[in-house]
Amino acid sequence: MKTTIVEQSGVIVVEVEGRMDAGNAQAFEDVCKEQLAAGVQNLVIDFAGVEYTSSAGLRGILVVAKAAKANKASLVICDLQPQVAEVFTISGFMSILSIHKTRQEAITSLN
């Protein structure tokens, strides 16, 4: 898994590529929590490049969501691939997280 941090329209975007699983979920959490600890108030996680997430990946997303809430920051997820969207739906994440189809929609929702 690879993560890249970019700024777009005043929002920090974490681009995630590859598979999110037990071997790298902690690294994902760390990258996102570092951004929140640095004072980022609007965080978008772009899953366009993620083809698979395990339960460990889902746990990592929950950890980041809780960290965002604790820091009074907004967290939005976007660009879920069909197989990842299915996992989010089955796990109930679609109803508890702010999820948008595109990065632009996600960014617009924060501005």
Side-chain angles (χ1 to χ4, degrees):
M1 182 191 73
K2 176 183 171 189
T3 56
T4 306
I5 308 295
V6 297
E7 186 273 331
Q8 184 176 336
S9 302
V11 174
I12 297 299
V13 179
V14 178
E15 298 173 341
V16 186
E17 294 180 44
R19 298 169 56 91
M20 280 188 71
D21 54 31
N24 56 32
Q26 184 64 52
F28 165 78
E29 289 176 37
D30 292 344
V31 166
C32 293
K33 290 194 309 190
E34 284 173 12
Q35 294 300 310
L36 294 166
V40 169
Q41 289 299 298
N42 293 312
L43 186 65
V44 171
I45 302 174
D46 188 334
F47 275 84
V50 177
E51 69 267 2
Y52 170 82
T53 186
S54 70
S55 58
L58 292 175
R59 181 194 161 283
I61 295 162
L62 276 181
V63 167
V64 172
K66 288 181 181 181
K69 186 174 183 176
N71 285 293
K72 296 182 173 81
S74 297
L75 174 71
V76 180
I77 296 172
C78 66
D79 286 325
L80 295 177
Q81 297 303 309
Q83 58 275 26
V84 176
E86 182 177 351
V87 172
F88 272 54
T89 299
I90 291 168
S91 65
F93 277 37
M94 294 299 238
S95 62
I96 62 170
L97 297 171
S98 179
I99 300 174
H100 294 273
K101 289 186 185 229
T102 67
R103 181 188 293 196
Q104 191 55 53
E105 287 177 12
I107 291 169
T108 300
S109 77
L110 294 168
N111 291 327

